[in-house]
Amino acid sequence: MDHNNSVDLQSQLKACKEAEQNRADHLDFMARMFSHNLRSPMAGMKMLFMLLDRTSGEERAEILHNLKESSGILFKMIDDLATILIDYRALSTDRKEFSVQEVIDEVALDIKDLLTDKQAILHAELEMKSFCYYREHLLIILKELITNALTHTGLKPGSRILIRSYLQDGHVVLSVEDSGIGIDLELFAKDLYKMYKPLQLESMDQNGIGLFRVKNIVEINGGKLTLNSEPDRGT
């Protein structure tokens, strides 16, 4: 066997083992996290239902309001869990080679109104014009990162979001770069990939699962997600 082929095969086997381990670790983490997070609104609702039978008038109306809010939180968590678990569905299919530009165009069409509203431009510099991946996963990755750049970075009208793909040390690198307000990593580094954690003080109502989901998808495919940013210098 050719030495280079042997090295390539060992590298591929190592990547597959890492991807499998990441999948197991992520599923275990989500099971523990959601079982913990779901208990809080469920316990609160149980207590509110118990109080409901003992109250009337304004107090009863307030309890009903709190029940509505708690049920909303609970359903949001369940919906997020379903969304994340659905991302594993693609793993049952075969990876295929496809055009990165076609995926970018599909994302751009899907968020056309947001691009128009923000007066932003998507610009692609693709040295790797195609590669093997789960197409559904790349669509999610690009849509989440581009939408995040458009929504939370304070881009000026006419700003561009740069999407690059290139080969580095035998690995395909895909990057999304914006020229927005950036992230203070000294303040937010520990919360970058947590669910329901905002990355900017002015967007506290935008808690969600975006970066958590992207990181999860990248890692269950055996890859790595990194984020570089400085305040007022983009991300």
Side-chain angles (χ1 to χ4, degrees):
M1 180 183 291
D2 183 82
H3 175 70
N4 290 334
N5 289 338
S6 177
V7 172
D8 288 344
L9 181 58
Q10 289 177 8
S11 178
Q12 290 174 22
L13 287 173
K14 182 181 178 182
C16 287
K17 287 182 179 179
E18 288 179 353
E20 289 293 337
Q21 186 60 53
N22 284 336
R23 292 168 195 174
D25 290 344
H26 279 285
L27 285 170
D28 178 66
F29 169 76
M30 284 191 294
R32 288 185 285 108
M33 180 186 64
F34 275 99
S35 65
H36 175 268
N37 286 358
L38 289 173
R39 282 194 183 99
S40 180
M42 289 177 69
M45 290 176 69
K46 183 178 180 181
M47 183 180 296
L48 289 170
F49 275 119
M50 291 172 62
L51 290 173
L52 195 62
D53 292 333
R54 308 174 192 172
T55 59
S56 60
E58 291 184 3
E59 191 175 359
R60 184 180 178 86
E62 184 178 352
I63 290 175
L64 287 171
H65 174 74
N66 291 335
L67 273 172
K68 183 178 179 180
E69 286 194 341
S70 295
S71 64
I73 293 171
L74 182 61
F75 281 114
K76 175 71 165 61
M77 287 184 177
I78 293 171
D79 190 48
D80 288 342
L81 174 61
T83 297
I84 293 167
L85 290 177
I86 286 172
D87 292 339
Y88 285 82
R89 180 182 56 189
L91 299 175
S92 63
T93 64
D94 293 327
R95 291 187 181 212
K96 295 181 180 179
E97 186 164 342
F98 52 81
S99 163
V100 182
Q101 185 62 59
E102 286 183 3
V103 176
I104 294 172
D105 291 341
E106 187 171 337
V107 171
L109 185 62
D110 193 30
I111 60 171
K112 181 181 177 182
D113 291 342
L114 183 58
L115 283 167
T116 302
D117 181 59
K118 298 295 182 178
Q119 300 179 47
I121 301 165
L122 295 185
H123 179 73
E125 295 179 2
L126 308 175
E127 294 179 22
M128 291 292 295
K129 299 186 183 301
S130 64
F131 54 82
C132 282
Y133 209 70
Y134 295 111
R135 195 174 190 277
E136 180 181 340
H137 282 174
L138 190 63
L139 278 167
I140 294 168
I141 290 168
L142 284 174
K143 183 176 179 180
E144 289 284 357
L145 294 180
I146 292 170
T147 301
N148 194 64
L150 290 169
T151 308
H152 305 307
T153 64
L155 289 176
K156 296 178 181 178
S159 295
R160 73 174 187 171
I161 296 172
L162 175 62
I163 304 158
R164 300 173 61 218
S165 64
Y166 54 94
L167 203 61
Q168 180 177 305
D169 299 327
H171 300 284
V172 175
V173 179
L174 182 73
S175 69
V176 177
E177 179 181 340
D178 67 64
S179 56
I181 58 176
I183 299 168
D184 189 337
L185 295 181
E186 290 187 7
L187 287 176
F188 295 103
K190 65 182 178 66
D191 293 329
L192 278 178
Y193 307 115
K194 291 182 180 178
M195 296 182 69
Y196 313 123
K197 289 287 186 178
L199 293 182
Q200 301 295 349
L201 295 177
E202 62 269 27
S203 61
M204 285 298 183
D205 61 332
Q206 300 295 334
N207 302 355
I209 61 171
L211 280 181
F212 174 89
R213 188 182 183 195
V214 171
K215 185 174 186 289
N216 189 57
I217 288 174
V218 170
E219 290 185 350
I220 65 177
N221 279 284
K224 182 173 68 172
L225 177 68
T226 59
L227 186 149
N228 300 306
S229 187
E230 292 182 40
D232 302 318
R233 298 192 66 177
T235 302

